[in-house]
Amino acid sequence: YGSSKTGAPNPLQVSWSTIGDYTNWVPLTTDSAGNFQIPSGSMCVGGMSVANQQLIWTDIELWAMQFIGQPNVFGFNKLMGGCGLIGSHAMGMLGSTVFWMSQKQFFMITPGGAPQSIPCTVWYYIFQNLDTTNAFKIRCVPNSTFNEIWGHFPSLSGGTGENDSYVKLNPTEGEWDYGKLPSTGRSAGIDQSVLGTPIMAGVNGVIYQHEQGYDGDSVPLNPTFTSGYAVIGDAEQFTV
């Protein structure tokens, strides 16, 4: 996407090579190369391969790309507007559900379903404190170990321009959490692999394996608990 294979760079063009020859991008009746111009938006931001299709996000929309055979090879369908991707790696898959971060909202899509917004109880912590200049650094990392989807983002309060903060969602329970990352931040990550629990890279060039043990890189973790405001009725309920 954002292809320049057929001439000058075109931020909304999706191109593919012919089958069996990734050097041949010229659409002919004798090959399977081709291209498609997404008709709206400013640029293609990111893409992901999922079951039976490719998902392609522009800055304002989500499109599906599916193999249909000759003569067009691939078919394109707009799935939803107003749900563009904020950064090229601001999406991730937990199970078979794809989650992503837009400019002012979170979204998800299940196989065969339509995109839908996700209510976010910590919206102000993220979007009112987001360093939009460095939003392209946002990374989304699934954590199947605890059924969570993580978003690492640069904050204005951090002031470093790196991913110094995180937000995470447990979609089964509908619970959100947020907090600060160490000064090393996180610039990339993968879910469970043959090596075990999630692996993430720090901006300092060190690779970390998460969800190991009960401390923070050999440093004891002090337990804390923060709740929202609790309101009770007069003379009806008691707290201890």
Side-chain angles (χ1 to χ4, degrees):
Y1 54 86
S3 169
S4 61
K5 289 296 183 180
T6 57
N10 186 334
L12 284 171
Q13 182 169 277
V14 181
S15 299
W16 56 91
S17 65
T18 191
I19 295 173
D21 184 2
Y22 63 84
T23 66
N24 181 6
W25 296 78
V26 181
L28 300 172
T29 57
T30 56
D31 65 24
S32 55
N35 57 74
F36 176 80
Q37 175 78 17
I38 294 179
S40 54
S42 299
M43 61 181 295
C44 294
V45 179
M48 173 181 284
S49 178
V50 298
N52 302 318
Q53 64 182 358
Q54 312 287 325
L55 296 178
I56 298 175
W57 287 267
T58 70
D59 52 335
I60 61 173
E61 297 170 342
L62 173 62
W63 285 71
M65 173 181 175
Q66 296 175 312
F67 180 76
I68 59 175
Q70 295 288 8
N72 295 324
V73 186
F74 287 99
F76 290 78
N77 294 294
K78 176 181 171 180
L79 299 181
M80 186 178 182
C83 63
L85 192 65
I86 194 170
S88 60
H89 292 84
M91 74 293 201
M93 179 182 290
L94 183 63
S96 59
T97 302
V98 177
F99 298 83
W100 72 95
M101 182 176 175
S102 190
Q103 284 78 6
K104 291 292 182 181
Q105 210 170 353
F106 291 94
F107 291 89
M108 60 180 282
I109 185 171
T110 56
Q116 54 184 304
S117 62
I118 308 173
C120 180
T121 56
V122 294
W123 187 92
Y124 284 95
Y125 178 83
I126 306 157
F127 293 103
Q128 297 290 70
N129 189 33
L130 176 63
D131 178 0
T132 55
T133 301
N134 291 289
F136 67 94
K137 297 179 181 179
I138 292 173
R139 296 293 185 267
C140 180
V141 182
N143 182 356
S144 299
T145 304
F146 292 99
N147 190 41
E148 295 172 342
I149 190 82
W150 285 61
H152 299 157
F153 66 94
S155 71
L156 292 173
S157 58
T160 65
E162 302 295 343
N163 291 335
D164 56 77
S165 300
Y166 71 86
V167 60
K168 59 184 178 179
L169 167 68
N170 183 314
T172 302
E173 300 176 359
E175 297 295 336
W176 291 86
D177 184 18
Y178 64 87
K180 284 289 186 180
L181 291 166
S183 58
T184 53
R186 294 294 181 268
S187 60
I190 61 171
D191 195 6
Q192 290 181 355
S193 66
V194 294
L195 299 177
T197 52
I199 294 175
M200 302 186 197
V203 296
N204 59 347
V206 177
I207 304 297
Y208 298 89
Q209 185 159 26
H210 286 241
E211 314 300 355
Q212 294 285 307
Y214 300 95
D215 56 31
D217 199 16
S218 301
V219 178
L221 297 175
N222 296 319
T224 63
F225 178 83
T226 304
S227 71
Y229 290 106
V231 179
I232 60 176
D234 293 338
E236 294 178 358
Q237 298 176 345
F238 296 91
T239 60
V240 177

